[in-house]
Amino acid sequence: MKLSSCLLILPALCSGLAVSANSPSKGSGTVVYSAVNAEGSRQLWSRADVSPPKYPVEMAKNGWVGCGVFKVSIDAEGKTGDVNVLSAIPVNHQIRPAVKVIKGWRWTAADGQTAQPAQQLVRLDFCMANAAPEQVQAACEVQAKYPCQ
Protein backbone atom coordinates (compact mmCIF):
# COMPACT_ATOMS: atom_id res chain seq x y z
CA MET A 1 0.00 0.00 0.00
CA LYS A 2 1.30 3.44 -0.89
CA LEU A 3 2.12 5.92 1.86
CA SER A 4 -0.46 8.39 0.52
CA SER A 5 -3.17 5.71 0.84
CA CYS A 6 -2.14 5.06 4.45
CA LEU A 7 -2.35 8.76 5.26
CA LEU A 8 -5.93 8.85 3.98
CA ILE A 9 -6.97 5.83 6.04
CA LEU A 10 -5.27 6.81 9.31
CA PRO A 11 -7.57 9.78 10.18
CA ALA A 12 -10.63 7.63 9.53
CA LEU A 13 -9.33 4.98 11.91
CA CYS A 14 -8.39 7.50 14.59
CA SER A 15 -11.73 9.32 14.47
CA GLY A 16 -13.53 6.19 15.61
CA LEU A 17 -11.37 5.62 18.66
CA ALA A 18 -13.09 5.55 22.01
CA VAL A 19 -10.67 7.39 24.23
CA SER A 20 -10.22 6.53 27.83
CA ALA A 21 -6.85 8.28 27.60
CA ASN A 22 -4.97 5.11 28.45
CA SER A 23 -2.16 5.48 25.93
CA PRO A 24 1.19 4.12 27.04
CA SER A 25 2.91 7.45 26.39
CA LYS A 26 0.43 9.55 28.35
CA GLY A 27 -0.57 7.17 31.16
CA SER A 28 -4.14 7.06 32.44
CA GLY A 29 -6.78 9.70 32.02
CA THR A 30 -10.12 10.39 33.63
CA VAL A 31 -12.86 13.01 33.64
CA VAL A 32 -14.77 14.02 36.77
CA TYR A 33 -18.22 15.57 36.26
CA SER A 34 -19.69 17.98 38.83
CA ALA A 35 -23.01 19.82 38.77
CA VAL A 36 -22.48 23.41 39.91
CA ASN A 37 -25.35 25.06 41.76
CA ALA A 38 -25.56 28.64 42.82
CA GLU A 39 -26.23 28.79 46.55
CA GLY A 40 -29.92 28.23 47.21
CA SER A 41 -30.69 27.05 43.68
CA ARG A 42 -32.03 23.62 42.89
CA GLN A 43 -30.84 21.12 40.35
CA LEU A 44 -33.51 20.73 37.62
CA TRP A 45 -31.70 18.17 35.45
CA SER A 46 -29.27 15.27 35.83
CA ARG A 47 -27.26 13.53 33.16
CA ALA A 48 -29.14 10.56 31.73
CA ASP A 49 -25.89 8.59 31.34
CA VAL A 50 -24.29 8.29 34.75
CA SER A 51 -21.03 6.80 33.46
CA PRO A 52 -17.99 9.10 33.54
CA PRO A 53 -17.79 11.44 30.56
CA LYS A 54 -15.32 10.47 27.83
CA TYR A 55 -12.01 12.31 27.59
CA PRO A 56 -12.23 14.29 24.33
CA VAL A 57 -9.98 12.67 21.70
CA GLU A 58 -8.17 15.91 20.78
CA MET A 59 -7.44 16.71 24.41
CA ALA A 60 -6.16 13.20 25.14
CA LYS A 61 -3.93 13.14 22.03
CA ASN A 62 -2.37 16.44 23.10
CA GLY A 63 -2.11 15.49 26.77
CA TRP A 64 -4.25 18.51 27.73
CA VAL A 65 -5.40 18.49 31.36
CA GLY A 66 -7.27 21.01 33.48
CA CYS A 67 -10.88 21.95 34.08
CA GLY A 68 -13.78 23.83 32.57
CA VAL A 69 -17.03 25.32 33.82
CA PHE A 70 -19.79 25.30 31.21
CA LYS A 71 -23.26 26.85 30.96
CA VAL A 72 -25.50 24.25 29.31
CA SER A 73 -28.94 24.97 27.85
CA ILE A 74 -31.35 22.04 28.18
CA ASP A 75 -34.74 21.90 26.43
CA ALA A 76 -37.96 20.42 27.86
CA GLU A 77 -37.19 17.04 26.24
CA GLY A 78 -33.78 16.80 27.93
CA LYS A 79 -31.69 17.59 24.85
CA THR A 80 -28.57 19.74 25.13
CA GLY A 81 -28.69 23.03 23.25
CA ASP A 82 -26.05 25.73 23.57
CA VAL A 83 -22.90 25.06 25.57
CA ASN A 84 -20.73 28.00 26.61
CA VAL A 85 -17.36 27.92 28.33
CA LEU A 86 -17.49 30.22 31.37
CA SER A 87 -14.00 29.50 32.67
CA ALA A 88 -11.23 27.11 31.83
CA ILE A 89 -7.76 26.10 32.90
CA PRO A 90 -5.43 26.24 31.08
CA VAL A 91 -7.19 28.17 28.26
CA ASN A 92 -10.52 28.14 26.42
CA HIS A 93 -9.28 26.86 23.06
CA GLN A 94 -7.85 23.74 24.68
CA ILE A 95 -11.13 22.98 26.48
CA ARG A 96 -13.32 23.54 23.39
CA PRO A 97 -13.33 19.82 22.41
CA ALA A 98 -15.25 19.20 25.65
CA VAL A 99 -18.11 21.32 24.29
CA LYS A 100 -18.61 18.73 21.54
CA VAL A 101 -18.79 15.96 24.16
CA ILE A 102 -21.33 17.89 26.26
CA LYS A 103 -23.53 18.64 23.23
CA GLY A 104 -24.12 14.90 22.88
CA TRP A 105 -25.49 14.52 26.41
CA ARG A 106 -29.11 13.73 27.23
CA TRP A 107 -30.72 14.80 30.49
CA THR A 108 -33.51 13.58 32.78
CA ALA A 109 -35.53 15.73 35.16
CA ALA A 110 -34.05 15.58 38.65
CA ASP A 111 -36.08 13.84 41.34
CA GLY A 112 -39.24 15.77 42.08
CA GLN A 113 -38.64 18.29 39.27
CA THR A 114 -40.85 19.02 36.26
CA ALA A 115 -39.11 18.81 32.87
CA GLN A 116 -38.76 22.38 31.63
CA PRO A 117 -36.15 24.30 29.65
CA ALA A 118 -33.30 25.46 31.85
CA GLN A 119 -29.68 26.44 31.94
CA GLN A 120 -27.35 24.50 34.15
CA LEU A 121 -23.74 24.93 35.17
CA VAL A 122 -21.47 21.91 34.98
CA ARG A 123 -17.80 21.43 35.66
CA LEU A 124 -15.51 18.89 34.07
CA ASP A 125 -12.05 18.10 35.39
CA PHE A 126 -9.65 16.44 32.94
CA CYS A 127 -6.80 14.55 34.57
CA MET A 128 -4.03 12.47 33.04
CA ALA A 129 -0.88 11.02 34.56
CA ASN A 130 1.57 8.15 34.38
CA ALA A 131 -0.15 6.32 37.21
CA ALA A 132 -2.74 3.61 37.77
CA PRO A 133 -6.27 4.64 36.76
CA GLU A 134 -7.40 4.53 40.40
CA GLN A 135 -4.65 6.98 41.41
CA VAL A 136 -5.53 9.34 38.57
CA GLN A 137 -9.23 9.19 39.56
CA ALA A 138 -8.40 9.98 43.19
CA ALA A 139 -6.16 12.90 42.19
CA CYS A 140 -8.85 14.23 39.84
CA GLU A 141 -11.47 14.15 42.59
CA VAL A 142 -9.13 16.28 44.74
CA GLN A 143 -8.58 18.67 41.79
CA ALA A 144 -12.36 19.04 41.41
CA LYS A 145 -12.51 20.69 44.86
CA TYR A 146 -10.33 23.63 43.77
CA PRO A 147 -11.56 26.70 41.85
CA CYS A 148 -11.52 26.45 38.06
CA GLN A 149 -10.76 30.07 37.11
Side-chain angles (χ1 to χ4, degrees):
M1 185 184 288
K2 291 183 179 179
L3 180 59
S4 61
S5 298
C6 290
L7 293 175
L8 291 173
I9 294 171
L10 186 60
L13 292 174
C14 290
S15 66
L17 292 176
V19 174
S20 63
N22 288 331
S23 69
S25 62
K26 302 259 191 265
S28 298
T30 192
V31 179
V32 171
Y33 163 85
S34 308
V36 179
N37 286 341
E39 195 168 321
S41 71
R42 58 190 173 157
Q43 196 73 25
L44 296 176
W45 295 94
S46 1
R47 286 185 56 229
D49 181 1
V50 295
S51 62
K54 296 213 184 303
Y55 215 107
V57 174
E58 183 180 350
M59 290 179 68
K61 283 182 185 177
N62 289 300
W64 290 339
V65 297
C67 61
V69 176
F70 306 87
K71 182 167 65 172
V72 181
S73 295
I74 304 166
D75 70 14
E77 286 81 42
K79 294 179 187 171
T80 301
D82 292 334
V83 178
N84 296 302
V85 179
L86 298 181
S87 63
I89 296 174
V91 290
N92 282 353
H93 77 275
Q94 289 179 324
I95 212 83
R96 288 271 180 223
V99 170
K100 186 176 181 181
V101 170
I102 296 169
K103 284 191 176 203
W105 289 356
R106 297 279 307 175
W107 301 83
T108 57
D111 290 340
Q113 301 299 323
T114 304
Q116 58 184 311
Q119 292 187 338
Q120 187 158 309
L121 297 180
V122 298
R123 175 180 168 150
L124 295 176
D125 283 271
F126 302 93
C127 307
M128 191 178 295
N130 288 322
E134 300 79 27
Q135 292 172 313
V136 176
Q137 178 72 28
C140 205
E141 288 173 7
V142 170
Q143 173 184 313
K145 295 176 183 172
Y146 295 110
C148 182
Q149 313 176 19

